[in-house]
Amino acid sequence: MTIPLEDNAGDIIGKAQRGLGISDSQLAERAGLTGKLREGNFDDESLGRVAPILNLSATALRKLASGKWEAEKIGEIDGLAMFNTTYGDMTVNAYLVWDPSTHDAVAFDTGADCGGMLARAQSEHLKIKLILLTHAHPDHVADLERLRETTGAPVYISELEPEEGADPIAEGKRFEVGSLKIETRLTSGHSPGGITYVVTGLAKPLAIVGDSLFAGSMGGGNVSYQDALRNNREKILTLPDETIVCPGHGPLTTVGKEKRDNPFFADV
Ligand SMILES: [Fe+2]
């Protein structure tokens, strides 16, 4: 299944404007553009003018605007499954990660509907031992009650973002499930207690990032745009390039790809 990118060039420009407090008219004026920058007039020259004002990579923005931004092709990883479900007018991702030899598994978020996850757990003979939440936005935890009751697994979320039925954890908390090791990093900014779970023990390291980082974009900096940028830079993009990034929306990506091609982080 190929999932489209979560954000287009216009979405990214909007997120940067809101984060920096730059209105449409201020942007147009500073960039020396006549008229508002709109989808359809994202020509290379306009993007080249607005990118430095918004601290974005012009090269990466042009690639997105021209449809040439291609998501990294990531082959099957034994022990990782993605579930994409529909929540209102959007889609959201949840993940199952398991030790292929012991079949002990961890669910990351629930998505809108955990039915696909439960079916996969059954077909792979997995035992879901742990439910870890990236953040409490409703699309990510919509089916928590059912997942918790069906599996009987303990549920954890950041202490900064309490959720009914989940126990609070602080940054640095570690979990071990089968041969998998999981470390928690606070990547707040999109939400107050957004957590990135770094999983090692499979063929490649994984970072389950929630809405902190997307392929080619990132979650809106609703709580703090500057924290979101800094946490992504310091706590996700410092992981090995081969790390598979598993975002809450849009396709899988890698740390190396986002360092090269994400408009918020590439050559800025
Ligand atoms: Fe979110």
Side-chain angles (χ1 to χ4, degrees), residues 135 137 139-140 190 211:
H135 63 306
H137 286 173
D139 48 331
H140 297 264
H190 170 71
D211 292 353

Side-chain angles (χ1 to χ4, degrees), residues 90 92 134-140 161 190-191 210-212 214 219-220 222 248-249:
M90 54 186 180
V92 59
T134 59
H135 63 306
H137 286 173
D139 48 331
H140 297 264
E161 218 165 311
H190 170 71
S191 72
D211 292 353
S212 298
F214 298 150
N222 307 332
H249 302 274

Side-chain angles (χ1 to χ4, degrees), residues 59-78:
T59 314
L61 268 185
R62 285 173 180 146
K63 249 194 215 180
L64 269 159
S66 63
K68 289 188 185 123
W69 204 104
E70 277 184 38
E72 198 91 305
K73 290 187 180 48
I74 294 168
E76 237 1 69
I77 299 277
D78 196 14

